[in-house]
Amino acid sequence: MEQLPSESDAIAKVSSIFIYPIKSCRGISVSQASVTPTGFRWDRQWLVVNYKGRAYTQRVEPKLSLVQVELPDEAFIEGWEPSKSSYLVLKAPGMDALKVSLIAPREVSNGVSVWEWSGSALDEGADASKWFSDYLGKPSRLVRFNTASETRPVEPEYAPGHKIMFSDMYPYMLLSQGSMDALNNVLKEPIPVNRFRPNILVEGCEPFSEDLWTEIRIDKLTFLGVKLCSRCKCPLEQTLLAASHLVDKWVF
């Protein structure tokens, strides 16, 4: 994408920001978010794992998509730090609400793995473990990325030196409303944008033009579009028509 010299000359503009605190659980639409090298603050910082420490995702545990996640409104303010009364709140069908302290736990779980990566993570304790075990019907634990001791590099051939937490591939994912509209025009049942789980939704550009953007400037920040996204079955699995020619789009 060509650089955006001014708001009036912009090719597209940001219309929505989404954060997914727990990998594979529901996201949060926010009006602002702190940008960090590993993604928006709070994005994919937590992970649900099985008794072996292996990650659960919607691919094998679709019930995770019904877990609602809430953070304090002030958590998205630049420079805010949690106190002892700050909580991540989880809700799901048939379950009482669970409050998880935003103060990092001290207990460490070793042998946590997601895709190609393995390492240690911070264990959120027995209450969170029981909540997810009861909800999923199998032994589970909730863990938080251990930024003090662990790093998870992205594919070096595309973005050498960059790192993520529990995201699948890269720190940020971008999608345009034009692409969503074009997809829904060929589906029997339209699907919402949250099926694709983008971090940034833009509007005002042609469908799929973001596939060609290599540099994206938002305000004073510059992002690089390094690779398109190979989508899994989650976005379209509940639709009657799979638009396979529209998959493998929209990563930034």
Side-chain angles (χ1 to χ4, degrees), residues 78-169:
E78 186 76 28
W80 179 83
E81 292 298 332
S83 67
K84 292 182 179 179
S85 60
S86 304
Y87 295 97
L88 177 79
V89 180
L90 308 183
K91 299 177 181 179
M95 302 291 294
D96 292 332
L98 173 70
K99 296 173 68 175
V100 178
S101 175
L102 289 179
I103 300 294
R106 295 182 179 180
E107 184 178 349
V108 174
S109 289
N110 295 310
V112 171
S113 60
V114 53
W115 305 122
E116 80 300 334
W117 179 88
S118 64
S120 69
L122 302 176
D123 196 303
E124 293 292 1
D127 289 346
S129 174
K130 184 177 187 307
W131 195 90
F132 275 103
S133 297
D134 290 346
Y135 179 62
L136 296 177
K138 58 186 69 175
S140 309
R141 302 198 73 83
L142 179 66
V143 298
R144 186 189 307 204
F145 196 86
N146 190 354
T147 56
S149 65
E150 302 294 334
T151 59
R152 187 174 169 225
V154 304
E155 296 172 305
E157 60 268 36
Y158 292 100
H162 290 272
K163 300 175 177 62
I164 52 176
M165 291 197 208
F166 290 133
S167 301
D168 272 359
M169 299 183 72

Side-chain angles (χ1 to χ4, degrees), residues 146-212:
N146 190 354
T147 56
S149 65
E150 302 294 334
T151 59
R152 187 174 169 225
V154 304
E155 296 172 305
E157 60 268 36
Y158 292 100
H162 290 272
K163 300 175 177 62
I164 52 176
M165 291 197 208
F166 290 133
S167 301
D168 272 359
M169 299 183 72
Y170 297 96
Y172 298 92
M173 180 175 175
L174 179 144
L175 168 66
S176 79
Q177 186 62 53
S179 298
M180 278 301 305
D181 293 342
L183 172 63
N184 281 327
N185 284 338
V186 298
L187 294 178
K188 292 182 179 179
E189 297 290 337
I191 60 176
V193 67
N194 62 9
R195 292 284 188 89
F196 290 90
R197 302 176 70 81
N199 295 115
I200 301 171
L201 182 69
V202 300
E203 61 182 15
C205 61
E206 293 296 318
F208 315 119
S209 60
E210 68 270 31
D211 292 358
L212 305 178

